Amino acid sequence: MPEPGYRPPGFSVKVIVVSGGVISGLGKGITTSSLGRLLKARRIPVTIVKIDPYLNVDAGTMNPYQHGEVFVLKDGTEADLDLGNYERFLGQELDGAHNLTTGKIYRTVIERERRGEYLGNTVQIIPHVTGEIKRCIRDVAKATGAEVVLVEVGGTVGDIESMPFLEALRELSYELGEGRMAFVHTTLVPFVGAVGEAKTKPTQHSVRELRAIGIRPNLIVARGAAPLAPDIKTKISLFCDVPPEAVISVPDQSSIYEVPLVLEAQGVGGFLSRLLGLPAGEPDYAEWREFLATYRADRATVEVAIVGKYTELHDAYLSHIEAFHHVQGRLGATVHLSWIDAEDLPRDPAALARVRRAGALLVPGGFGARGAEGKLLAIELARSQGIPFLGVCYGFQMAAVEFARHELGLVAANTTEIDPHGADPVVCLLEAQQGLHEMGGTMRLGAQPVLLTAGSRAAQAYGRTEIEERHRHRYEINPAYVDRLRAGGLVATGRAPDGRIEVLELADHPFFVGVQYHPEFRSRPEAPHPLYLALVRAALARKEVPPPAAAAPARA
Ligand code: GLN
């Protein structure tokens, strides 16, 4: 019986599945992204789909402490952070169709069932759910015109949650036929004991688990602290039934951007090309190598303080971290990130001293009252001491609140997110948000145009006045305060076409820019984001010409 959603192949896509074994957190996303880069370097049209086997429809409602940052796509999809890695490694923008979740798949199947589209049949995981999964993957191939679709399966093989997805991919390999699908399995090879003996047993077990569901891996990517010795590779090859050249060792790297070259050096590009009958051209890594060479140049150092409330989990700010890596790869100046928990600032003078010593300050996005007072203290310090500052989303809103309180004398200024009935709601709920109760996918999301004032710092950084950036917010600068902010010196230099404030900056400061949108999502190794570049450049310039020693102390 052909399952609903099934269409006979008829088109020539090739699929590479990346699964994971032993434990999660092995850098499967980086492996997948790097495999994508290998194909891209060979000019093969490629795209990537991430499968997240959880019941959430998307990552938008999830706490950053559980899965790290929510990565916003241009179409407004709130996606898993791996989508950010894919975009950065491929240099391509993806949309929501590239992030499948159990919740999304089941929602579609159940909606179809309610419309009676299954014509009286019993609706089951096989073939209906698996059919929907395959349909989604085929649709991505069709919509993008990719010759190869990489599919990363989140979680580890053996999880109940990922079963329907692996079954769908097994079916797909049968339907696509010989030589059209490859399975890459990422595992951990731990080193134990005083002599650091490499242990292959966990890999053997997880490959056996994969085989039990009818999937035979073609390539094993072994992660671990150190490179695998040849005899260990041979052992894995023997036990896991793959040729020795298909056992790839990826030891920890100083930069994730090394991984494509680590794979390439072990012949992975050629191996996959032969396996899938792809054109075998010479790969081109010219720009990529240039990025890495500059990244390591260490011509100067600069310290950027990041003040947020999820600072223990750096994944919560992944795209910001990567944006600074991209800047390092462009300027050749080593960027050290100094993580400061916003909640420490009001109670710990040492934490505030760390902000004071930093070369620049970034206050990223966030939600709610926790940590807000600390962010205000850090921003006040940056503003009054001439420390280059970039405020992103909540950081931008907080910059307006801080300015209103301390420069305009509006002591009760706040965002209505924290103080719904305060005297001076400098930041207030977007009109479209009023009366909304559903949480998922309801913020102002995705790419929106922004018009910059010619000659402003923002326009100078971008080198143009018409830009498009990704958004994720419910609140905005209250238009009723814009004139007063401007009179005080905090000027709106970027607006949405409807007039909404998108950028605020201080003219009389080395670099003090706040943006309502999220620039971090669009930074790429080969194209660092202009605002992060401008921030670090300002910090470097300030280092060369130190501020006068007698600068007025901040209020704090
Ligand atoms: N909490 C703020 C808002 O909803 C900022 C959101 C953010 O930083 N992403 O507008």
Side-chain angles (χ1 to χ4, degrees):
M1 173 187 75
E3 73 277 30
Y6 170 75
R7 288 181 217 125
F11 71 110
S12 63
V13 70
K14 291 168 181 169
V15 176
I16 301 174
V17 175
V18 182
S19 56
V22 187
I23 56 166
S24 60
L26 285 176
K28 195 155 30 92
I30 299 301
T31 303
T32 310
S33 304
S34 300
L35 291 170
R37 189 72 210 188
L38 253 53
L39 300 176
K40 176 122 182 164
R42 288 171 168 72
R43 290 162 295 278
I44 296 166
V46 57
T47 196
I48 311 184
V49 172
K50 172 79 194 277
I51 288 172
D52 283 307
Y54 44 63
L55 276 164
N56 305 59
V57 171
D58 60 40
T61 54
M62 291 199 290
N63 185 324
Y65 271 134
Q66 295 201 9
H67 289 271
E69 145 190 297
V70 175
F71 189 83
V72 181
L73 302 176
K74 71 171 181 203
D75 68 356
T77 299
E78 298 169 284
D80 180 79
L81 56 70
D82 274 323
L83 277 280
N85 288 320
Y86 305 163
E87 288 201 349
R88 291 186 280 265
F89 276 68
L90 293 182
Q92 283 165 211
E93 294 200 290
L94 305 174
D95 63 28
H98 294 251
N99 196 183
L100 303 183
T101 67
T102 303
K104 203 184 260 183
I105 298 287
Y106 273 67
R107 186 165 78 173
T108 308
V109 170
I110 291 168
E111 280 170 5
R112 292 182 64 186
E113 185 274 329
R114 292 288 80 186
R115 288 197 299 269
E117 289 181 24
Y118 295 106
L119 308 175
N121 280 312
T122 309
V123 182
Q124 292 174 300
I125 291 179
I126 303 170
H128 303 96
V129 167
T130 52
E132 177 59 20
I133 294 166
K134 288 183 285 184
R135 189 186 64 75
C136 288
I137 294 169
R138 288 172 189 279
D139 283 356
V140 168
K142 284 211 191 100
T144 57
E147 201 173 318
V148 178
V149 179
L150 275 149
V151 180
E152 178 187 348
V153 187
T156 46
V157 170
D159 297 346
I160 290 178
E161 282 86 351
S162 56
M163 287 298 190
F165 291 101
L166 289 167
E167 165 60 16
L169 292 163
R170 186 198 64 75
E171 292 172 12
L172 190 65
S173 79
Y174 170 72
E175 290 164 12
L176 289 176
E178 236 356 75
R180 308 203 77 89
M181 202 147 160
F183 288 91
V184 177
H185 192 55
T186 317
T187 75
L188 174 72
V189 176
F191 291 83
V192 297
V195 288
E197 191 191 350
K199 292 290 185 189
T200 64
K201 204 46 103 356
T203 299
Q204 295 177 38
H205 282 304
S206 94
V207 168
R208 187 184 304 158
E209 193 114 33
L210 202 53
R211 285 227 196 90
I213 50 183
I215 294 174
R216 208 175 65 85
N218 301 99
L219 196 80
I220 308 265
V221 173
R223 291 276 299 113
L228 290 190
D231 64 315
I232 299 295
K233 279 194 171 190
T234 311
K235 200 166 164 187
I236 294 176
S237 150
L238 210 59
F239 281 121
C240 301
D241 212 8
V242 296
E245 72 266 27
V247 181
I248 309 301
S249 168
V250 182
D252 295 344
Q253 302 295 313
S254 58
S255 161
I256 54 171
Y257 300 107
E258 299 277 2
V259 176
L261 302 178
V262 171
L263 297 177
E264 197 67 76
Q266 293 174 75
V268 175
F271 181 84
L272 286 175
S273 298
R274 285 191 298 280
L275 195 68
L276 297 174
L278 299 167
E282 267 299 299
D284 176 5
Y285 287 104
E287 278 188 54
W288 200 261
R289 287 187 196 280
E290 196 180 310
F291 164 81
L292 283 168
T294 313
Y295 182 85
R296 294 193 213 96
D298 199 22
R299 290 195 275 266
T301 56
V302 57
E303 188 173 308
V304 179
I306 300 188
V307 173
K309 70 174 179 180
Y310 307 113
T311 46
E312 303 100 277
L313 181 73
H314 296 179
D315 267 0
Y317 301 109
L318 184 61
S319 291
H320 295 286
I321 299 174
E322 293 310 322
F324 285 114
H325 285 314
H326 306 158
V327 169
Q328 177 167 333
R330 172 60 59 89
L331 299 181
T334 304
V335 181
H336 293 295
L337 300 180
S338 165
W339 297 94
I340 299 165
D341 185 339
E343 283 187 282
D344 287 344
L345 288 172
R347 56 182 185 225
D348 178 6
L352 207 57
R354 287 175 60 207
V355 179
R356 195 190 300 267
R357 278 198 308 272
L361 169 68
L362 172 84
V363 180
F367 296 84
R370 189 165 69 79
E373 289 303 316
K375 291 177 187 175
L376 293 171
L377 283 173
I379 294 168
E380 182 184 10
L381 199 58
R383 182 177 57 75
S384 61
Q385 301 293 295
I387 300 169
F389 164 75
L390 179 61
V392 170
C393 206
Y394 208 35
F396 151 87
Q397 296 172 357
M398 287 294 125
V401 169
E402 189 278 321
F403 195 83
R405 284 192 191 173
H406 303 136
E407 285 295 307
L408 305 184
L410 306 174
V411 289
N414 214 331
T415 163
T416 57
E417 182 171 353
I418 296 176
D419 183 2
H421 309 294
D424 281 302
V426 174
V427 178
C428 62
L429 200 61
L430 286 157
E431 207 179 328
Q433 293 287 325
Q434 282 157 23
L436 264 184
H437 298 294
E438 286 243 334
M439 291 298 278
T442 56
M443 286 188 244
R444 178 173 180 249
L445 287 166
Q448 316 271 351
V450 175
L451 305 168
L452 303 174
T453 309
S456 63
R457 283 228 202 272
Q460 279 168 11
Y462 282 92
R464 58 206 152 95
T465 54
E466 286 180 31
I467 58 166
E468 194 183 78
E469 292 280 9
R470 300 184 192 172
H471 294 69
R472 182 175 189 243
H473 65 121
R474 291 185 205 284
Y475 296 82
E476 64 174 335
I477 302 295
N478 186 342
Y481 289 87
V482 173
D483 287 345
R484 273 179 278 176
L485 291 171
R486 184 181 48 229
L490 190 63
V491 186
T493 57
R495 288 177 184 264
D498 63 5
R500 194 187 309 284
I501 310 300
E502 294 274 6
V503 184
L504 286 169
E505 59 184 72
L506 279 177
D508 189 17
H509 190 285
F511 187 87
F512 189 98
V513 176
V515 292
Q516 179 59 78
Y517 50 82
H518 289 270
E520 70 274 21
F521 296 141
R522 298 199 59 198
S523 189
R524 307 277 181 265
E526 291 141 308
H529 194 283
L531 290 178
Y532 289 79
L533 262 179
L535 179 74
V536 173
R537 281 201 170 113
L540 288 166
R542 186 167 172 267
K543 232 176 149 178
E544 276 165 28
V545 187
R555 282 170 5 98

